[in-house]
């Protein structure tokens, strides 16, 4: 596996997918960087593979786009031959095969999630080496390392759609606030049997958590309000 | 090529050998190929060189076709290509194969190969040797 080549565009990222009773919610931040330059601050990392199957991309932008393109191409052929929508497992398997067989040249972490008739909602995580793991929820990208604890502590089975959306939103906001390669806005997709609903949360409407406070030197700093009513100085006697 | 889902050619360690330009004694044939140079000895092509890259991508599409439709689909395509490339002529200088271009999907585009495809060396000095090379005897 190669690290990113010099000058290559990096999807250093926070991506996430969670399954709930009737579907899946997938979400991602929107930042693409080339070194310290943000090449695109409104990226759409949620890529269409099929009508009810999407993938979240992290890692090298070029690598993941190439894999997603071929995955889409392959699933179109499958649909023609089978006459019906492919299952999420089929989509995840083809992405995994491509990631594994090219593993020495790729740097791509992908989460495939969607809904199909046979298995219902499913989430498949394909991390860097090209393994395939089915999980009820999966996070990926550089920002995910900061939120494993939050996700483990918060996730409950049996949630409905709104709670899952809130979970994804909060997790991504926390990841974006700590990871330098994640930021911008949150893009989410809710995939159910009836369709795909896209949600967009701009940067100024992100959920906010503890934002930090400068504690050093607080004891000697006078609060602002007290400064205007300084009372230990007597007014100067003025002769008219 | 073997069926594989490789997207780009694998990077192989670079090697050089005298095999291609050697005469019957195993040494570099200066009379025929000129003085010995690195260019003639390089065995490895750059992995992003056009021909190998296109071959790898083509192989990827054929493998996907095989996985979806069965072995017959890429087999038929490759058979058609081979039929069309079977050229009974002796090696003349300008060679254009319109049928092959159509099958490979480059009949409606103008590429660098179309503009710069002059003969690499002059008129054929040894027709028998060229035919040997072509039929890989």
């Amino acid at each position: 596996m190669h690290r990113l080549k010099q000058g290559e565009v990096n999807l250093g990222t926070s991506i996430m997918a969670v399954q709930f009773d009737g579907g899946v919610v997938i979400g991602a931040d929107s930042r693409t960087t080339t070194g310290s330059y943000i090449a695109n601050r409104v990226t759409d990392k949620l890529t269409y593979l099929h009508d009810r199957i999407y993938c979240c991309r992290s890692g090298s932008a070029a690598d993941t786009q190439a894999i997603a393109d071929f995955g889409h191409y392959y699933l179109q052929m499958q649909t023609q031959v089978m006459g019906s929508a492919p299952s999420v497992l089929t989509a995840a398997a083809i992405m995994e095969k491509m990631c594994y067989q090219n593993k020495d040249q790729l740097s791509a972490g992908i989460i495939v999630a969607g809904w199909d008739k046979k298995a219902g909602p499913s989430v498949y995580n394909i991390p860097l080496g090209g393994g395939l793991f089915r999980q009820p929820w999966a996070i990926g990208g550089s920002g995910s390392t900061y939120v494993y604890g939050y996700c483990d502590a918060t996730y409950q089975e049996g949630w409905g759609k709104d709670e899952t959306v809130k979970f994804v939103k909060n997790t991504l906001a926390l990841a974006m606030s700590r990871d330098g390669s994640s930021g911008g806005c949150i893009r989410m997709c809710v995939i159910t049997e009836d369709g795909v609903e896209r949600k967009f949360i701009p940067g100024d409407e992100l959920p906010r958590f503890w934002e930090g406070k400068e504690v050093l030197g607080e004891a000697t700093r006078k609060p602002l309000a007290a400064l205007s009513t300084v009372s230990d100085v007597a007014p100067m006697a003025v002769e008219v | 090529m073997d069926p594989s889902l490789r997207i780009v050619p694998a990077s192989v360690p670079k090697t050089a050998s005298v095999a291609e330009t050697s005469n019957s004694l195993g040494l570099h044939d200066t009379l025929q190929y000129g003085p010995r140079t690195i260019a003639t000895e390089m065995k490895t092509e750059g992995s992003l060189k056009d021909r190998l890259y296109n071959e790898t991508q083509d192989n990827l599409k054929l493998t996907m076709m095989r996985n979806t439709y069965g072995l017959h689909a890429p087999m038929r395509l490759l058979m058609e290509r081979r039929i069309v490339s079977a050229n009974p002529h002796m090696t003349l200088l300008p060679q254009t194969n319109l049928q092959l271009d159509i099958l490979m999907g480059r009949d409606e585009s103008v590429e660098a190969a179309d503009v710069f495809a002059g003969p690499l060396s002059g008129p054929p000095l040894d027709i028998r040797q060229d035919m040997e090379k072509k039929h890989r005897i």
Side-chain angles (χ1 to χ4, degrees):
Chain A
M1 279 168 293
H2 282 189
R3 294 181 27 155
L4 290 169
K5 298 182 260 314
Q6 234 209 5
E8 200 180 352
V9 176
N10 178 18
L11 273 185
T13 292
S14 313
I15 51 173
M16 181 167 185
V18 187
Q19 121 187 14
F20 65 96
D21 208 12
V24 295
V25 177
I26 58 176
D29 72 306
S30 67
R31 183 175 287 185
T32 311
T33 53
T34 333
S36 63
Y37 169 64
I38 298 176
N40 185 352
R41 56 191 166 100
V42 286
T43 325
D44 184 8
K45 301 179 188 179
L46 308 173
T47 307
Y48 172 93
L49 287 180
H50 205 262
D51 287 338
R52 298 287 182 274
I53 307 174
Y54 274 65
C55 74
C56 313
R57 304 180 285 116
S58 77
S60 152
D63 291 346
T64 53
Q65 281 176 3
I67 296 175
D69 280 347
F70 280 115
H72 173 51
Y73 172 80
Y74 185 84
L75 290 176
Q76 280 185 315
M77 280 206 288
Q78 284 283 29
T79 314
Q80 285 299 316
V81 171
M82 301 300 176
S84 59
S87 62
V88 186
L89 176 55
T90 308
I94 188 61
M95 302 291 271
E96 177 259 325
K97 279 184 190 358
M98 282 198 288
C99 286
Y100 183 71
Q101 291 197 15
N102 289 286
K103 76 187 271 176
D104 56 334
Q105 309 223 316
L106 291 179
S107 142
I110 296 179
I111 301 180
V112 179
W115 182 94
D116 67 69
K117 207 156 171 184
K118 198 167 155 197
S122 21
V123 169
Y124 291 88
N125 193 2
I126 305 168
L128 232 49
L132 182 63
F133 305 99
R134 181 168 180 198
Q135 299 162 325
W137 57 273
I139 53 180
S142 56
S144 67
T145 50
Y146 304 105
V147 289
Y148 273 109
Y150 175 76
C151 288
D152 285 339
T154 319
Y155 177 72
Q156 305 279 342
E157 286 176 28
W159 272 343
K161 175 180 136 184
D162 294 326
E163 290 136 321
T164 314
V165 168
K166 183 156 163 258
F167 174 53
V168 170
K169 201 188 333 177
N170 285 344
T171 312
L172 287 176
L174 284 165
M176 284 153 71
S177 71
R178 281 293 184 180
D179 181 28
S181 330
S182 309
C185 46
I186 295 182
R187 292 190 187 275
M188 287 199 277
C189 272
V190 182
I191 306 171
T192 54
E193 178 177 5
D194 305 317
V196 173
E197 184 199 338
R198 273 204 174 250
K199 290 185 191 291
F200 174 77
I201 298 158
D204 58 348
E205 287 171 28
L206 293 177
R208 294 167 72 168
F209 299 88
W210 183 74
E211 265 146 30
K213 199 166 92 148
E214 182 53 74
V215 177
L216 205 59
E218 192 173 299
T220 52
R221 220 180 299 133
K222 288 201 177 76
L224 220 56
L227 281 174
S228 54
T229 56
V230 158
S231 56
D232 54 50
V233 176
M236 197 169 71
V238 176
E239 279 185 349
V240 174
Chain B
M1 287 175 82
D2 291 326
S4 137
L5 289 171
R6 276 227 150 248
I7 300 178
V8 290
S11 38
V12 284
K14 296 187 172 27
T15 57
S17 100
V18 202
E20 289 249 317
T21 53
S22 61
N23 58 15
S24 51
L25 295 169
L27 295 174
H28 174 82
D29 193 344
T30 311
L31 202 59
Q32 218 178 20
Y33 299 106
R36 193 171 156 193
T37 58
I38 288 282
T40 51
E41 287 179 22
M42 280 295 287
K43 285 253 82 189
T44 340
E45 291 186 355
S47 61
L48 288 185
K49 216 160 174 199
D50 237 21
R51 190 189 67 83
L52 188 59
Y53 179 77
N54 285 337
E55 229 179 69
T56 315
Q57 293 256 308
D58 190 46
N59 192 37
L60 169 59
K61 293 219 172 93
L62 290 173
T63 307
M64 284 192 173
M65 231 189 274
R66 175 186 180 161
N67 289 343
T68 322
Y69 303 111
L71 186 57
H72 73 96
M75 201 177 247
R76 281 168 205 263
L77 283 180
L78 289 170
M79 178 187 76
E80 285 167 4
R81 287 184 202 169
R82 203 175 276 200
I83 290 173
V84 140
S85 317
N87 193 351
H89 295 289
M90 304 258 268
T91 49
L92 305 163
L93 290 175
Q95 291 246 23
T96 54
N97 196 338
L98 178 61
Q99 292 175 311
L100 186 60
D101 283 345
I102 293 172
L103 284 178
M104 299 301 286
R106 27 170 215 253
D107 59 321
E108 286 179 340
S109 59
V110 177
E111 295 164 358
D114 300 321
V115 177
F116 293 112
L120 284 172
S121 50
L125 298 167
D126 189 349
I127 305 175
R128 280 164 204 83
Q129 192 176 51
D130 285 343
M131 291 303 276
E132 260 177 42
K133 257 202 222 152
K134 182 179 163 190
H135 292 288
R136 285 163 236 251
I137 294 169

